[in-house]
Amino acid sequence: MADQNVRNAGFTPSGIAGGSLASSLMSQEARASGGGVRSGGPTSTLQGMGAKGTTHSSGYTSSGISGGSRASNTMSKEATSHGGGVPRGGTTSTVQSISMGGKGGRR
């Protein structure tokens, strides 16, 4: 289900769907970073997963983040760099939210 939720949000094998949650997220992220979407950020992470259908195998599941997975490693690094917490709108919270059918951790 997680992979389908990512595709439903507009992260597809053929790219980001116009007018979708994905395009809105990409636009917000680009404006916040001065015009570009960074590698490893929410948009690029979700697009890679949407293109390959690897959300669940990466550890972002409908029941939460799987221990020992790529997702848990990302969450740990993000928490460490932010003093112990995972920021709203960061890669971990956004990818997990969309994987569960949510709107992402928008800023």
Side-chain angles (χ1 to χ4, degrees):
M1 185 59 162
D3 289 330
Q4 190 59 48
N5 289 334
V6 170
R7 289 192 176 135
N8 289 345
F11 298 97
T12 73
S14 58
I16 291 177
S20 66
L21 174 62
S23 66
S24 176
L25 180 64
M26 182 176 67
S27 176
Q28 289 174 13
E29 190 177 347
R31 279 194 305 268
S33 67
V37 176
R38 69 178 176 85
S39 176
T43 301
S44 64
T45 299
L46 283 158
Q47 182 52 42
M49 292 176 174
K52 297 177 199 165
T54 59
T55 306
H56 193 273
S57 64
S58 296
Y60 296 97
T61 73
S62 57
S63 58
I65 292 177
S66 300
S69 66
R70 181 175 142 209
S72 68
N73 185 43
T74 300
M75 181 173 67
S76 177
K77 288 179 181 177
E78 197 169 19
T80 300
S81 71
H82 287 91
V86 177
R88 183 171 185 232
T91 300
T92 302
S93 62
T94 302
V95 174
Q96 183 59 37
S97 175
I98 290 174
S99 295
M100 294 179 77
K103 303 282 186 202
R106 291 186 176 175
R107 294 178 182 146

